[in-house]
Amino acid sequence: MQPRLPPSSFLKTPDELYMCQALKEAWKAFDNNEVPVGAVVVFQDRLIARGYNQVETLQDATAHAEMLVIGAASAYLSNWRLNECTLYTTIEPCLMCAGASILSRLKRVVWGAPDIRHGGGGSLTNLFALPHPIHTVEFTSSVLTDWCSLPIKQFFQKRRAEEV
C-alpha cells in the first residue's frame, strides 16, 4: 500500500510543508467517506485553521474544505478580512470557493491538483485572473500535485468498485 503522505525529507518549501497539512485533512475526509479535499489557513507563518470536506456529513453543499477553513480562520482572527492569510487546498478551488477566497480578502491561495470539472483557478475558468475592483488574490498551483491527486483517485476507484 502506498503511503498517504510524502516523506518529510521530500518537503523542501513552506508551501510543501503546509500542503502536507492540508493533505492530512484530505485523508480525514477520505476516512469519513467524503470527497477527500483538505485545506488549511496560515497567518504569520502559523497554521490557524484546518478542515476537510463535510458535504455528506453536514448535508450542506457549501461545506467544502475551503469554505470551512475560511470561516474558522475568520473566527480565530475575529475578522472576516483575511488579508495576510494564505489558504492551502489539496484540490483547485471550485467557483464558490474561489469566489469566497476573493471576498474574504485572502492574500494568497495555493492548491495541489487541478479540478477539470469545477476548477475556479484555471481548469474550468480562472476567477483569480479576472480583474476585481476591490481585491486581487495571488495564486500558486501544482504544489505536491501527485500526492494531492492520490486521495481523490483512490476515493473514486473505491466508489466505482462499490457500485459493481
Side-chain angles (χ1 to χ4, degrees), residues 3-79:
R4 287 183 162 196
L5 300 172
S8 57
S9 61
F10 182 82
L11 306 172
K12 305 292 185 207
T13 68
D15 281 352
E16 290 173 344
L17 290 166
Y18 288 123
M19 186 61 74
C20 195
Q21 294 301 310
L23 193 51
K24 288 178 183 179
E25 296 300 311
W27 284 110
K28 288 179 187 176
F30 182 95
D31 292 338
N32 284 294
N33 211 27
E34 294 277 357
V35 174
V37 178
V40 298
V41 172
V42 174
F43 173 69
Q44 297 179 344
D45 298 320
R46 250 182 50 237
L47 195 150
I48 62 166
R50 58 177 62 239
Y52 57 88
N53 271 6
Q54 295 186 53
V55 172
E56 298 299 332
T57 302
L58 299 175
Q59 289 298 295
D60 179 354
T62 68
H64 290 194
E66 300 92 336
M67 300 295 284
L68 296 173
V69 297
I70 287 171
S74 296
Y76 178 86
L77 295 173
S78 298
N79 192 342

